[in-house]
Amino acid sequence: MHIMTPEEKAYLVGIGSASINEALGANLIPTTATAGPGAGGSSVFIRSGGRRVRLSTNPASPLRVVPDGDGVAVVHDKETITRGSIERPLCHCPEQAYITVSERCVHDCTFCPVPKLDGAIKNTKTVARMVEEANAGGSLSAISLTSGVAESPEREVERVAAVVRALRARFDLPIGVSVYPTAASTAILRAAGADEVKYNVETMDPGVFRAVCPGLSLPFILDALAGAVEVFGRNAVFSNFIIGLGEEDSMVRDGVAYLAELGVIPILRPISASPLRAGEIAVERPSAERHLGLAAMTRDILEQNGLDPRRARTMCLPCTGCDITPFRDV
């Protein structure tokens, strides 16, 4: 049986999308992203051995997912890149109920389509129903909540905390939360019953941050992350770090080291260019070679700081579909 290699996964992540053979349609359950740079697009998950990759569905992609015996193959031109099987998502990803509470945002980060989408705001009853449906399959291992900022960061934290309290009363599962921080968000979310938290720096390059996240504060996010480690502990605080916004590798290395020294595990996330942001920002998805190199560098730094992504129970690190994850993929 073929098992996807780190190099094969990095090649797929470097492209990030695939067209899906029509013969797979009857067995395919695509998932649609409602948060972050990939919001609005559908995707599929492919599992091979211990590795998983998420590919956005795009008829114009150079990659094709085609039937291959009892599984599928991912093909570029006439060359088979890897083989595996389609995984069925529960909510957004396999094995987790990963739910966006507010699918809208008053902030205007230029890499993110969410402010352009004016999506739904889910109430506690809706989120609980979604988790119940995911749990009915018997393979649910975690609940993960993310959210934009529908009105204000403070109101959003209170909204998500109310959801966490309701879910904690009904489910004996780890709960992770990703929101924009406030001065009190860490204490509020911990008291509500959250087990892990993610505050996204987006980039550790101050100049790039000012350009792509107008009105937001990188120092404030970093202070919030440091405070979150004091409350949630090491290996329970994470931060998305987007790659492909024009940052230099030396800055990535310094940024990863800074976060790791705080006790935060960074998640190096390749940029997904959104057509809703065309003309507003120039981005370049990292190559397979760059992503592998940065992931290996991140693993070394995490190891030096006693951090291990394999101890994460919620959100992106256990999933691994979108990234090359240290200790899991390399």
Side-chain angles (χ1 to χ4, degrees), residues 234 241 249-266 268 293-309 326-327:
R234 299 169 68 83
F241 187 147
D249 284 359
S250 59
M251 184 283 304
V252 177
R253 185 181 305 106
D254 292 346
V256 167
Y258 185 95
L259 291 168
E261 288 167 5
L262 292 180
V264 176
I265 299 179
L268 302 189
L294 292 177
M297 173 271 295
T298 300
R299 174 177 176 142
D300 290 344
I301 292 174
L302 293 177
E303 195 165 31
Q304 292 164 14
N305 286 273
L307 298 171
D308 188 345
F327 295 93

Side-chain angles (χ1 to χ4, degrees), residues 1-294:
M1 176 183 295
H2 179 85
I3 296 177
M4 186 190 303
T5 67
E7 292 75 18
E8 289 169 352
K9 179 175 176 178
Y11 185 83
L12 301 183
V13 170
I15 296 174
S17 65
S19 64
I20 311 299
N21 187 281
E22 291 181 0
L24 296 170
N27 298 316
L28 189 64
I29 301 179
T31 180
T32 300
T34 53
S42 62
S43 59
V44 296
F45 288 87
I46 297 172
R47 183 98 181 182
S48 177
R51 294 190 174 88
R52 171 187 290 144
V53 65
R54 173 180 174 265
L55 296 173
S56 299
T57 56
N58 177 7
S61 174
L63 297 178
R64 293 181 296 120
V65 178
V66 300
D68 182 70
D70 293 334
V72 296
V74 186
V75 179
H76 187 190
D77 293 330
K78 295 183 179 181
E79 179 184 357
T80 296
I81 305 303
T82 195
R83 292 179 168 88
S85 59
I86 297 288
E87 275 194 293
R88 298 169 67 91
L90 297 178
C91 283
H92 179 62
C93 70
E95 300 176 356
Q96 295 189 53
Y98 205 146
I99 299 167
T100 303
V101 178
S102 292
E103 301 172 14
R104 59 181 68 176
C105 195
V106 297
H107 297 310
D108 195 28
C109 297
T110 58
F111 56 81
C112 183
V114 172
K116 307 285 189 180
L117 294 174
D118 194 29
I121 300 176
K122 300 180 184 71
N123 59 30
T124 299
K125 183 178 179 180
T126 297
V127 175
R129 175 181 53 77
M130 294 173 71
V131 177
E132 290 280 10
E133 291 173 354
N135 194 42
S139 60
L140 184 65
S141 64
I143 300 169
S144 298
L145 304 174
T146 186
S147 200
V149 179
E151 301 154 28
S152 70
E154 290 76 14
R155 177 70 185 91
E156 204 63 51
V157 168
E158 292 290 352
R159 189 197 320 275
V160 174
V163 175
V164 172
R165 283 192 291 271
L167 296 177
R168 174 55 64 215
R170 296 172 64 174
F171 300 96
D172 184 21
L173 291 168
I175 300 175
V177 175
S178 176
V179 292
Y180 187 78
T182 69
S185 58
T186 294
I188 291 171
L189 293 172
R190 187 59 167 170
D195 299 291
E196 297 176 339
V197 72
K198 178 152 69 81
Y199 299 146
N200 295 331
V201 294
E202 314 298 7
T203 178
M204 286 292 285
D205 183 313
V208 173
F209 186 95
R210 286 192 296 270
V212 302
C213 294
L216 301 185
S217 169
L218 180 57
F220 178 77
I221 297 169
L222 292 171
D223 285 346
L225 285 165
V229 173
E230 294 179 3
V231 173
F232 285 89
R234 299 169 68 83
N235 294 303
V237 180
F238 322 119
S239 188
N240 280 7
F241 187 147
I242 298 174
I243 305 299
L245 297 175
E247 70 290 329
E248 298 290 336
D249 284 359
S250 59
M251 184 283 304
V252 177
R253 185 181 305 106
D254 292 346
V256 167
Y258 185 95
L259 291 168
E261 288 167 5
L262 292 180
V264 176
I265 299 179
I267 300 162
L268 302 189
R269 173 63 44 81
I271 185 65
S272 296
S274 170
L276 294 179
R277 290 297 191 170
E280 296 184 56
I281 184 173
V283 301
E284 182 178 358
R285 194 170 179 90
S287 67
E289 294 76 17
R290 185 184 186 204
H291 209 157
L292 279 172
L294 292 177

